[in-house]
Every structure is written in C-alpha cells, then in structure tokens.
C-alpha cells in the first residue's frame, strides 16, 4: 500500500474517532442535562412556595403601612422576591431544555414576531431593530427554544446599544455547507477581554439586575437542538458591530435532537 493511501486511511480513521468522541460527548451532555433538569424542577418548586408566602405577607403589610421607612424596606423585599422569581424561572428553563420538539420554522417571520413582541413589551422603539433575513430560510428547531434564545440575545443587544435606528441588527446567512447562521449584532461597546471567558458560565453577569443564567441557558438550548451559540468576532469585524453573537444551526432535519419524554 502506498504511503499516500496509508495517510488517507489514517486521516479517515482519525476523523471517524473524532466523530465518535463528539457523539459520545453529546450523549453524556444530554444525560447530564436531563438529570440537572429533574433536580432544577424540584428545587425550583421548593423555593417558589415560600417565596410566594413572603410576597403575599409583604403585600398585606404594605396595605396598612404609613411609615416611609417601612415602605422602603417592603419595597426592598418585593424587589428581591421578583429577582428570586426570575432566577427560579431561569432555573426551570434547564428542565425545559430536556424536552426538544423540532419543527420547520420560517425564520424571517418568526424573528420579526419575536422582535416585535419584545419591543412592544419593553416599550422600545421598534426602529432600533433592523432585520435582514430571507423569506426563503426555514430552520429545524424547537420554536419555544428558538424564541428564548433570540429574545435573550436581542435583550442583551438592546441593553448595551445606542438608541439609533438599526442599532441592533438581526441577520441570517446560508453557509456553503448548508448551515444557517443567525447573528444578532449591536453598535454598543465591545465585551471586555476579562469577561469573554466567563460569558456562558452559569450565574456570571455584569448586569446589576441580571440572574447570570441568560447566556448559559441560551447556549444549553442551542446545544439541545444540535446548534451552537458563540461570540462572533468575525461578524464584529465584517459588519463593524461593537458586539455580536451567532446561533449556528446545522443543515437538514437532523439538526434537532428530538426527545419526546418529558421531565416532570
């Protein structure tokens, strides 16, 4: 056998080993995520009951209160109850990530609705968002997961962008190999070097009112759907964004991993 044939065989064997390793890692990650989801749902349930009692008790106290100092303390209680409730809701999203039901999603229409709903709910001028997505692009994805990912990314982008028209841009590109890259960029400041390595770590945040779970859960949902979410330096350089994140969705119907069993 010629040396070039041996080299080709070795390369093919190594590629096969790499694919097997990736598949094994995906299975292990899926099993860990399912277990985490079960634990998260149980813990969240145990936290929400006393949290609701605290919220109700503080509301009753506020009804008859006339003391400004007590009113300030009750406001602190209420604000922190709401923050804890947001954390619980984010933690519950871990259990939802184990339930993936892919469907064909018309990307342009879906993103337009997500952006429109977000702008209306947050009372933000919709003109701050620019969408450039072909009507011909469909993706295989769990629709609720896609919504959570996109809303998280546009919320972050809007928080740090200017108020200018088109300050937040949402684009989609069909890559030569068939994958689709959905990019959310903004004209805000770049992410500091010391922050980049921790962006997708759970409970890491630079936003005072954040839970530190948004990007972590967005990436977990992406992975559960056979996709990838990453900070996109190429998009920043090409489009002169301050910051950009890209959701890369694999080509074909096999891009989603469908898990029909629910975790209760």
């Amino acid at each position: 056998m010629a040396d070039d044939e041996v080299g080709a065989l070795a390369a093919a064997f190594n590629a096969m080993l790499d694919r097997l390793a990736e598949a094994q890692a995906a299975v292990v990650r899926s099993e860990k995520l399912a277990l985490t989801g079960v634990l998260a749902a149980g813990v969240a349930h145990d936290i929400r009951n006393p949290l609701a009692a605290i919220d109700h008790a503080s509301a009753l106290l506020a009804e008859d209160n006339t003391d400004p100092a007590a009113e300030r303390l009750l406001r602190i209680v209420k604000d922190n109850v709401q923050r804890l409730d947001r954390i619980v809701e984010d933690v519950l999203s871990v259990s939802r990530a184990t339930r993936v039901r892919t469907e064909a999603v018309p990307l342009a229409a879906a993103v337009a609705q997500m952006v429109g709903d977000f702008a209306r709910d947050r009372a933000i001028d919709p003109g701050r968002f620019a969408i450039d997505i072909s009507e011909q692009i469909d993706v295989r994805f769990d629709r609720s997961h896609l919504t959570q990912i996109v809303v998280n990314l546009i919320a972050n982008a809007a928080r740090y962008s200017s108020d200018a028209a088109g300050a937040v841009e949402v684009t989609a590109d069909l890559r030569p190999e068939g994958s689709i890259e959905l990019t959310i960029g903004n004209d805000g400041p770049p992410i500091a070097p010391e922050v980049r390595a921790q962006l997708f770590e759970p409970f890491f945040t630079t936003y005072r009112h954040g839970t530190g779970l948004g990007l972590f859960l967005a990436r977990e949902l992406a992975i559960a759907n056979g996709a990838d979410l990453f900070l996109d330096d190429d998009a920043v350089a090409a489009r002169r964004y301050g910051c950009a994140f890209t959701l890369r969705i694999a080509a074909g119907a096999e891009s989603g991993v469908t898990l029909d069993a629910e975790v209760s």
Side-chain angles (χ1 to χ4, degrees):
M1 184 178 292
D3 290 343
D4 57 345
E5 292 177 326
V6 172
L9 183 61
F13 183 72
N14 288 334
M16 182 184 67
L17 289 178
D18 289 341
R19 288 195 295 272
L20 285 172
E22 290 172 1
Q24 184 178 28
V27 169
V28 170
R29 189 180 189 91
S30 177
E31 291 175 348
K32 286 182 177 179
L33 187 60
L35 177 58
T36 301
V38 173
L39 295 174
V43 171
H45 180 269
D46 289 341
I47 290 174
R48 259 196 170 151
N49 286 338
L51 201 60
I54 293 170
D55 189 40
H56 182 63
S58 64
L60 291 176
L61 289 172
E63 287 180 0
D64 300 322
N65 177 63
T66 57
D67 182 1
E71 183 179 353
R72 182 177 64 83
L73 293 174
L74 287 169
R75 168 54 59 185
I76 292 173
V77 171
K78 186 171 184 62
D79 288 347
N80 280 280
V81 164
Q82 290 175 345
R83 183 167 185 270
L84 285 170
D85 193 59
R86 288 196 301 272
I87 293 174
V88 168
E89 185 60 34
D90 283 344
V91 168
L92 282 172
S93 294
V94 174
S95 66
R96 296 178 191 134
T98 65
R99 305 193 294 269
V100 183
R101 291 179 177 81
T102 58
E103 60 180 288
V105 180
L107 194 59
V111 169
Q113 181 176 351
M114 295 170 199
V115 171
D117 290 347
F118 173 81
R120 185 188 63 251
D121 294 344
R122 304 292 181 92
I124 296 175
D125 179 5
R128 287 178 59 189
F129 301 92
I131 302 174
D132 183 13
I133 301 175
S134 168
E135 298 286 347
Q136 306 303 315
I137 297 179
D138 287 355
V139 296
R140 295 288 305 180
F141 219 90
D142 183 298
R143 186 182 290 266
S144 66
H145 290 176
L146 183 62
T147 300
Q148 186 168 344
I149 293 168
V150 171
V151 169
N152 176 268
L153 294 177
I154 61 175
N156 286 339
R159 183 176 301 123
Y160 296 107
S161 72
S162 72
D163 292 331
V168 178
E169 189 173 59
V170 187
T171 63
D173 294 310
L174 181 61
R175 309 303 297 172
E177 77 280 4
S179 67
I180 294 163
E181 292 191 347
L182 179 66
T183 299
I184 292 90
N186 69 81
D187 66 355
I191 293 177
E194 62 271 17
V195 171
R196 296 168 69 93
Q198 303 175 76
L199 276 176
F200 295 102
E201 294 297 321
F203 301 108
F204 174 78
T205 182
T206 58
Y207 178 50
R208 188 167 66 89
H209 299 292
T211 63
L213 289 171
L215 282 175
F216 165 73
L217 289 171
R219 189 173 67 168
E220 291 299 319
L221 292 173
I223 292 170
N225 283 268
D228 187 22
L229 177 64
F230 56 93
L231 183 64
D232 196 340
D233 291 324
D234 291 339
V236 169
R239 298 179 182 269
R240 298 184 180 179
Y241 294 136
C243 173
F245 286 87
T246 290
L247 176 68
R248 181 181 291 143
I249 304 170
E254 70 276 10
S255 61
V257 180
T258 303
L259 306 175
D260 291 326
E262 294 194 3
V263 178
S264 58

